[in-house]
Amino acid sequence: MRVFSSIAAAALLASAALACPPPLQDCSGACYLDNLYCCQNGQLTQKQFCNGGNGGGGNNGGNNGGNNPGCAYGNEQKWTGWGLIDQFNFFTGADPTHGFVQYVDRGTAQNQGLVSVNGNGQVYIGVDHDNNAPNGRRSVRLESKNRINRHMMILDLAHMPGSICGTWPAFWTFGPNWPNSGEIDIIEGVNNQDQNSITLHTRGGCAMPGWRDMGGSSKALNCDANVNGNEGCGVLLNKPGSYGNNFNNQGGGVYVMERIDTLINAWYFPRNAIPGDVLNGHPNPCNWGKPDANFPLGGNCPNDHFGDHNIIFNIAFCGDWAGAVFSQQGCGGSCTDFVANNPQAFRESYWLINSLRLLTR
């Protein structure tokens, strides 16, 4: 259901033939509030990017938002090879999602080939695919040593864990005292899934509007982790090749997540369609068109639902999600039995990372 009050977080489309009702203004048929947006050369632009980031409104604005230097990011940290691994701790506790998995320490992971760096500097993060695992399959969960907040994060992947029964890989961020500091799942799926879901999980009091200008499809609107079985407010990506086997068969690609005071946005770019400004170290989201996933922050979801976050890579098995829908996704029998007794099935369960970049304005 579309709720009119959601304009506090996102623009509402209106017919160009109709006047926008007060207090909204018109921008080429889009209705907007001038405390959140401006109209620059007929294009609706977020307020912080208007006139180089200094505000502005109406139809007179400054430069077109697509070329606005106020959108660009810099101050880049780029992590590759062993330097990337050095930025993370190896989590070795019990899986918080009750997975059929044993997370191992760095020494064990390196000795058993679960973590390595190849001759091209690509970081491999995988699982044991040689041995039966009656007590849970060995895997890796990396948690960044430092926390991040307002930033842009760019993950360049050559390979992600494949679409394999029993698996539950994720690339995500979360804060302490979960879910009070929030969680952002950037890449996540289970079993033989072939489309990526980008999802927020929070404490109560965070919901998304029913319509947002984005490429993906909204799956749920309530982000509260304590309702609906912790479904969260998710967006299913509609671009082909966003997850698993399909992603790997096209040579991988890039995921971008932007987090600022007023929104969390995410984009997925296949290998043959990565914007030049992403490649040259000065990414400018105003050049990219609408995001694949958009989560406005404000009245319906105050930005204090998201604190300082650690970055996580992990590959789990079965557990609260993959185990619960194992049979529904064409995976027969018992999830734990399959994971324990079919090591060869998990040869494609690995991340191969070209780089992870963090940028700020």
Side-chain angles (χ1 to χ4, degrees), residues 107-122:
T108 302
Q110 290 184 209
N111 290 336
Q112 297 188 359
L114 307 189
V115 169
S116 62
V117 175
N118 66 22
N120 295 320
Q122 296 170 306

Side-chain angles (χ1 to χ4, degrees), residues 91-93 95-96 101-105 137 139-141 314-316:
F91 174 86
T92 57
D95 181 34
V101 62
Q102 293 186 32
Y103 291 123
V104 300
D105 61 31
R137 187 153 298 283
S139 181
V140 171
R141 172 169 164 151
N314 74 289
I315 306 171

Side-chain angles (χ1 to χ4, degrees), residues 80-93 102-117 123-126 138-145:
T80 60
W82 289 111
L84 185 152
I85 295 174
D86 289 342
Q87 298 293 330
F88 290 84
N89 292 316
F90 284 67
F91 174 86
T92 57
Q102 293 186 32
Y103 291 123
V104 300
D105 61 31
R106 178 167 179 164
T108 302
Q110 290 184 209
N111 290 336
Q112 297 188 359
L114 307 189
V115 169
S116 62
V117 175
V123 175
Y124 172 94
I125 304 169
R138 288 191 166 188
S139 181
V140 171
R141 172 169 164 151
L142 300 183
E143 300 190 354
S144 64
K145 295 176 180 177

Side-chain angles (χ1 to χ4, degrees), residues 234-272:
V235 174
L236 185 68
L237 268 60
N238 294 323
K239 287 181 181 175
S242 65
Y243 183 83
N245 294 344
N246 293 338
F247 178 90
N248 299 330
N249 291 339
Q250 67 181 14
V254 165
Y255 269 92
V256 181
M257 190 268 282
E258 176 187 31
R259 178 182 163 191
I260 59 178
D261 285 339
T262 56
L263 59 80
I264 295 169
N265 279 340
W267 291 262
Y268 156 62
F269 301 111
R271 181 64 58 196
N272 63 358

Side-chain angles (χ1 to χ4, degrees), residues 8 25 34 71 75 90 113 163 202 227 235 252 273 287 290 354-355 358:
Q25 299 188 43
D34 63 8
C71 293
N75 305 312
F90 284 67
S163 307
T202 68
V227 301
V235 174
N287 292 338
K290 60 187 176 184
N354 292 325
S355 64
L358 302 177

Side-chain angles (χ1 to χ4, degrees), residues 42-204:
Q43 293 193 3
L44 201 62
T45 304
Q46 292 173 20
K47 192 74 170 183
Q48 66 266 34
F49 304 139
C50 301
N51 291 333
N54 294 320
N59 289 303
N60 299 319
N63 296 326
N64 180 280
N67 298 312
N68 191 332
C71 293
Y73 282 78
N75 305 312
E76 179 179 274
Q77 298 180 53
K78 184 175 182 179
W79 301 343
T80 60
W82 289 111
L84 185 152
I85 295 174
D86 289 342
Q87 298 293 330
F88 290 84
N89 292 316
F90 284 67
F91 174 86
T92 57
D95 181 34
T97 62
H98 310 105
F100 189 64
V101 62
Q102 293 186 32
Y103 291 123
V104 300
D105 61 31
R106 178 167 179 164
T108 302
Q110 290 184 209
N111 290 336
Q112 297 188 359
L114 307 189
V115 169
S116 62
V117 175
N118 66 22
N120 295 320
Q122 296 170 306
V123 175
Y124 172 94
I125 304 169
V127 306
D128 176 10
H129 53 75
D130 295 319
N131 304 293
N132 284 357
N135 299 312
R137 187 153 298 283
R138 288 191 166 188
S139 181
V140 171
R141 172 169 164 151
L142 300 183
E143 300 190 354
S144 64
K145 295 176 180 177
N146 296 316
R147 292 182 179 140
I148 58 175
N149 198 305
R150 294 158 186 82
H151 66 283
M152 174 174 281
M153 182 162 54
I154 303 176
L155 176 65
D156 187 331
L157 281 176
H159 186 284
M160 71 168 67
S163 307
I164 301 166
C165 288
T167 57
W168 182 358
F171 168 62
W172 51 296
T173 71
F174 84 115
N177 193 22
W178 183 92
N180 293 325
S181 295
E183 173 183 335
I184 306 169
D185 300 321
I186 304 162
I187 301 174
E188 185 179 31
V190 295
N191 299 316
N192 53 16
Q193 187 171 318
D194 60 6
Q195 290 176 273
N196 185 39
S197 293
I198 299 175
T199 307
L200 307 185
H201 303 266
T202 68
R203 66 181 188 271

